[in-house]
Amino acid sequence: MYLLASGNSKIGRKTYSFSLPAKTTCRPTPWCQEHCYACKGLFHMRSVKELYERNLRMSKEIDFPERMIQEIYERKIGWVRIHVSGDFYSNEYLDAWSNIISNCPNTRFLAFSRRTDLPLDRLTQWDNMTVRLSVDPSTKDYPDGLLPLAIVEGSRFDHLADEVCSGGCIECGHRCWDDEHNVLLHVH
């Protein structure tokens, strides 16, 4: 049983993902409560919900980092999107991902997060990892820090965007995976 799911038409088939249940690990803003894409469509399927619940349980196991590292090497995975659904939920979970990222230097990792209360810089110390702080129309305060932003269209921070997401990682060549700029995301 694999931990990582293969990609889709948006992120590409060679980009794998590891997701957790929406709202269980997230700290959704009022806007996100209403518009969260991970609470719509295919995410409502029982099989998807069960997979994400299983992932949450497995992410708390002591051997989670070792299992993930082994899978990345065995499957020769080059791109991992952490959390299409869900978010970082604890310092221990951050440490697990830091262990994974540091031990897989030939794999590129990307995560979007709202967790300004956790030390996400533990992850960005590795050159193969980008974390984007997510802001949306209900985000009131500028998220101070050195992390690039993922700005949901219609927020008070739209003017900080350096470029607009095309909606497909393959189309744009994985530009969000480059931590040099802020990206404006369209609502989907």
Side-chain angles (χ1 to χ4, degrees):
M1 175 175 23
Y2 291 129
L3 294 169
L4 294 166
S6 60
N8 55 38
S9 60
K10 182 178 177 189
I11 64 173
R13 296 280 173 218
K14 292 184 178 182
T15 300
Y16 290 76
S17 66
F18 181 82
S19 291
L20 301 172
K23 297 183 181 176
T24 302
T25 56
C26 304
R27 292 204 174 158
T29 63
W31 184 90
C32 194
Q33 286 277 10
E34 184 178 340
H35 299 281
C36 179
Y37 67 87
C39 295
K40 301 176 185 175
L42 295 175
F43 292 96
H44 274 297
M45 292 177 58
R46 189 175 75 182
S47 61
V48 173
K49 287 181 177 184
E50 288 173 356
L51 173 65
Y52 292 175
E53 288 292 339
R54 179 207 70 153
N55 285 352
L56 180 58
R57 285 189 308 276
M58 294 183 86
S59 73
K60 295 175 181 180
E61 297 293 325
I62 192 79
D63 67 340
F64 172 69
E66 291 76 23
R67 291 185 65 199
M68 184 66 78
I69 293 164
Q70 180 179 353
E71 181 175 335
I72 289 169
Y73 277 97
E74 285 178 1
R75 295 175 75 189
K76 298 176 177 57
I77 293 172
W79 301 87
V80 174
R81 164 79 187 272
I82 305 170
H83 307 145
V84 172
S85 171
D87 205 342
F88 298 103
Y89 58 84
S90 70
N91 284 309
E92 294 77 19
Y93 184 59
L94 275 178
D95 289 342
W97 275 108
S98 183
N99 182 354
I100 295 162
I101 294 160
S102 69
N103 281 286
C104 298
N106 297 320
T107 300
R108 192 78 177 106
F109 296 86
L110 170 70
F112 295 84
S113 181
R114 295 182 183 282
R115 297 302 301 263
T116 56
D117 60 318
L118 292 174
L120 297 172
D121 58 341
R122 284 190 201 164
L123 302 177
T124 60
Q125 67 180 311
W126 312 111
D127 291 339
N128 57 329
M129 175 63 180
T130 298
V131 177
R132 293 188 173 284
L133 285 178
S134 296
V135 297
D136 63 46
S138 63
T139 305
K140 293 180 181 12
D141 299 319
Y142 180 76
D144 267 345
L146 302 174
L147 297 176
L149 301 178
I151 305 164
V152 176
E153 188 175 40
S155 85
R156 68 184 74 213
F157 305 106
D158 286 9
H159 67 283
L160 296 175
D162 299 309
E163 57 183 279
V164 177
C165 177
S166 66
C169 298
I170 300 300
E171 245 175 70
C172 78
H174 291 88
R175 293 282 298 140
C176 281
W177 301 66
D178 172 10
D179 61 0
E180 300 296 318
H181 56 282
N182 296 326
V183 177
L184 184 70
L185 306 172
H186 296 294
V187 178
H188 49 187

